[in-house]
Amino acid sequence: MLYCRVPPTTTSDKSEIPLRSRIFADLTPLRTSPDYRRLWCGNTVSWMGQQMTALAVSLQVYALTHSTFAVGLVGLCSLVPLVIFGLYGGAIADTVDRRKLGLYSALGATVLSLALAAAALAGYHRVWLLYTVVACQAVCFAMNSPARTSMIPRLLPAEQLPAANALNSLTGNLGLMGGPMLGGVIVGLWGYQTAYLIDVVAFSGSLYAMWRLPSMRPDQGEGPRRRASVLDGLRFLATRPNLRMTFFSDLAAMVLAQPRALFPAVAVLWFGGDAKTVGLLVAAPAVGAVLGGLFSGWLGGIRRHGLAILIAVAAWGAAIACFGLSRNLWLGLFFLAVAGCADTVSMVFRSTMLQAATPDAMRGRLQGVFIVVVAGGPRLGDFLTGSAADLTSPATAIIGGGLACILTVTALGLGRRAFARYDAHDPQP
């Protein structure tokens, strides 16, 4: 059986659960934990501000250079630090007080946004400065994210982790949708400096939430405290097949079935559109992901998390393959939205498994690996899909990628049957 309520309930118990809680996002973590509520609200506001700043930087780089290549380098400047410092940020989060690491890294990001605003107000427009600040912001994020994410299991009981991760996914996707839109409007009306200053103010929510948290030193058990090692974290992961499967399944989706690099081409070739069509294609998975977060109340009743991940990743692949077959824009957007919803389901249970089945002393390092996979997987997928489309055609690359995703995740499930039997009541890494 794929799901049942956690903990198991009788029929009468189930009837007492409001229908709204079984359909819409479960707000129980926000109601029961003031610390988590502050952390979530602060992260929601600051993430929106970060996405505004990301768009403002891209617009400013293009205004200074009139080069799309220069704008593309902005992404590279953030990707490299994320991959390099993601692992080390996780190791640091397993060594020091996570509250302090989250507080200081958020403060560093605030100062960097303030530097952008000061430079814009002073009329000092230099591309090298923008690249440098973006790289340093990525370092701060790579330090902050493992610390913040690994604190959540200390703030909430295990049965509330799926709901908390669904709320976190809602924050991320709303930021990706709303942040750039607000950033574009604000830059157009009041200039780059206003967007950067709003980001500074937005970070105050994250700073306040971190400041109010109790001390969050990692639990390393009895014995002398020692510095956490990145290699120890990788060795731990190498001996924990269920946790490894969460990364393999995500890579199957993000590397093999990642169509976004082809959106500019298919917008013209398939749908006869323009830049606005590309925007719709880019936004569709995020819309689906937001809807998946809004209607995530049922996720709390699923206990076979591994099986849910396999099904969700296969659904992603199937939706991408169907998108490759569609030649009607609205039908294509529908399939992309379905893919985004499936990705939310997968992310919720992958995050929950990492938090519930990982010892506290290792959570930071595993979250660091999570950052590397999430940041690097889609970029590798862009390269693979783009190369395949050049050798064959966009349709072949997209349909073939979706089918390859389904076959790969099926092979993973058959090769590691215990993953499909993973039970949230008895989390085994």
Side-chain angles (χ1 to χ4, degrees):
M1 183 177 179
L2 180 58
Y3 69 92
C4 73
R5 279 281 158 190
V6 181
T9 58
T10 65
T11 303
S12 60
D13 290 331
K14 288 182 179 180
S15 65
E16 296 173 2
I17 300 173
L19 179 63
R20 180 188 177 282
S21 298
R22 285 180 276 149
I23 298 177
F24 295 103
D26 186 357
L27 304 181
T28 302
L30 298 176
R31 291 195 299 265
T32 60
S33 174
D35 286 331
Y36 175 77
R37 182 169 60 247
R38 285 189 292 266
L39 192 65
W40 184 83
C41 291
N43 185 50
T44 299
V45 174
S46 64
W47 180 244
M48 187 76 71
Q50 289 173 67
Q51 295 309 304
M52 290 173 51
T53 291
L55 179 76
V57 167
S58 296
L59 292 173
Q60 191 172 6
V61 168
Y62 186 76
L64 293 173
T65 65
H66 300 287
S67 167
T68 55
F69 175 76
V71 176
L73 286 179
V74 175
L76 186 63
C77 288
S78 63
L79 175 62
V80 173
L82 277 176
V83 171
I84 294 175
F85 286 92
L87 295 174
Y88 287 97
I92 294 172
D94 284 340
T95 301
V96 303
D97 186 343
R98 290 165 178 161
R99 169 189 171 273
K100 290 183 179 179
L101 179 60
L103 182 63
Y104 294 151
S105 56
L107 181 61
T110 305
V111 171
L112 290 167
S113 292
L114 186 60
L116 288 174
L121 287 169
Y124 188 79
H125 304 297
R126 298 292 186 275
V127 174
W128 71 265
L129 175 64
L130 297 174
Y131 287 159
T132 302
V133 171
V134 166
C136 292
Q137 285 176 328
V139 173
C140 290
F141 179 81
M143 297 293 176
N144 183 273
S145 183
R148 186 182 67 252
T149 309
S150 58
M151 287 190 290
I152 293 176
R154 301 270 290 270
L155 302 176
L156 297 169
E159 62 269 16
Q160 293 183 21
L161 291 180
N165 287 314
L167 290 169
N168 293 340
S169 76
L170 190 58
T171 289
N173 289 300
L174 283 174
L176 291 173
M177 285 179 55
M181 289 191 294
L182 288 174
V185 172
I186 290 169
V187 169
L189 293 175
W190 299 295
Y192 306 111
Q193 65 276 4
T194 305
Y196 299 144
L197 286 172
I198 290 176
D199 191 19
V200 173
V201 175
F203 266 116
S204 63
S206 181
L207 290 171
Y208 175 74
M210 290 289 181
W211 179 67
R212 287 291 304 273
L213 287 173
S215 176
M216 287 278 180
R217 282 199 167 273
D219 181 11
Q220 296 185 347
E222 301 297 329
R225 186 175 298 276
R226 63 188 184 89
R227 181 170 297 277
S229 164
V230 173
L231 290 178
D232 285 346
L234 295 176
R235 292 189 190 103
F236 172 83
L237 183 60
T239 60
R240 301 304 190 272
N242 283 336
L243 296 182
R244 285 202 313 274
M245 280 285 292
T246 64
F247 295 114
F248 291 157
S249 59
D250 186 48
L251 288 173
M254 295 298 102
V255 175
L256 298 176
Q258 179 56 263
R260 68 183 183 184
L262 303 183
F263 285 164
V266 302
V268 176
L269 297 175
W270 295 358
F271 307 122
D274 52 17
K276 294 188 289 293
T277 307
V278 177
L280 289 174
L281 294 174
V282 172
V287 171
V290 168
L291 291 175
L294 288 174
F295 295 95
S296 60
W298 60 279
L299 297 180
I302 293 177
R303 57 186 285 186
R304 297 279 292 278
H305 291 182
L307 181 58
I309 291 170
L310 295 174
I311 293 173
V313 172
W316 165 278
I320 295 301
C322 289
F323 169 72
L325 292 169
S326 64
R327 294 299 179 268
N328 176 276
L329 177 59
W330 297 110
L331 186 60
L333 294 175
F334 169 77
F335 286 126
L336 289 176
V338 170
C341 183
D343 186 49
T344 291
V345 174
S346 169
M347 188 284 301
V348 165
F349 291 118
R350 286 185 289 110
S351 297
T352 301
M353 285 182 67
L354 283 178
Q355 293 165 343
T358 304
D360 187 67
M362 286 287 178
R363 281 185 183 135
R365 278 164 284 187
L366 274 258
Q367 290 299 328
V369 176
F370 185 85
I371 290 176
V372 172
V373 170
V374 169
R379 271 77 174 185
L380 183 57
D382 289 341
F383 174 76
L384 182 63
T385 305
S387 300
D390 277 343
L391 293 173
T392 56
S393 69
T396 301
I398 294 174
I399 297 170
L403 295 177
C405 172
I406 296 172
L407 291 174
T408 300
V409 77
T410 301
L412 288 172
L414 293 174
R416 176 64 188 171
R417 295 177 184 271
F419 182 71
R421 296 192 298 269
Y422 176 94
D423 190 337
H425 288 176
D426 182 27
Q428 297 295 324

